[in-house]
Amino acid sequence: MTTLRITVNNRKNAQLLTKLLKSMVFVKKVEEDLPITEGTDQFVMLKSIFDAIKPDSIFSNIPNPVEWQKKIRDEWETR
């Protein structure tokens, strides 16, 4: 096992790096000097937005997905 000691320039970057490290399967343990608090950083905001979207509601207004996709392709081919 190898231990790394990392210094970053501000608390926000420390939070982002800690979240990234904790999400990696090969990282066994993350110790930090400052406690991580949930804030309004981009990660938290995006996660809350994606959590609020119901999976079946994203494309519910498209009655025929195959025809819709063909139309999109045709629009790109004519440009």
Side-chain angles (χ1 to χ4, degrees):
M1 188 173 306
T2 303
T3 302
L4 301 173
R5 185 175 207 85
I6 300 169
T7 304
V8 294
N9 58 353
N10 61 45
R11 183 181 176 94
K12 184 175 181 178
N13 289 341
Q15 290 175 329
L16 292 172
L17 183 59
T18 300
K19 288 176 185 178
L20 176 69
L21 290 171
K22 286 181 177 179
S23 71
M24 296 178 172
V25 295
F26 59 87
V27 174
K28 301 296 181 195
K29 183 177 175 183
V30 177
E31 294 180 7
E32 57 231 56
D33 293 337
L34 300 171
I36 299 298
T37 57
E38 292 296 320
T40 55
D41 61 5
Q42 288 179 344
F43 177 84
V44 173
M45 290 188 309
L46 286 174
K47 185 170 181 344
S48 66
I49 290 169
F50 287 129
D51 288 345
I53 297 173
K54 295 176 184 158
D56 297 336
S57 68
I58 296 174
F59 297 107
S60 62
N61 60 343
I62 300 174
N64 187 342
V66 175
E67 288 299 318
W68 175 80
Q69 190 176 33
K70 286 179 182 177
K71 182 180 175 186
I72 297 297
R73 284 193 204 124
D74 290 343
E75 288 176 4
W76 280 99
E77 288 178 6
T78 59
R79 290 183 183 193

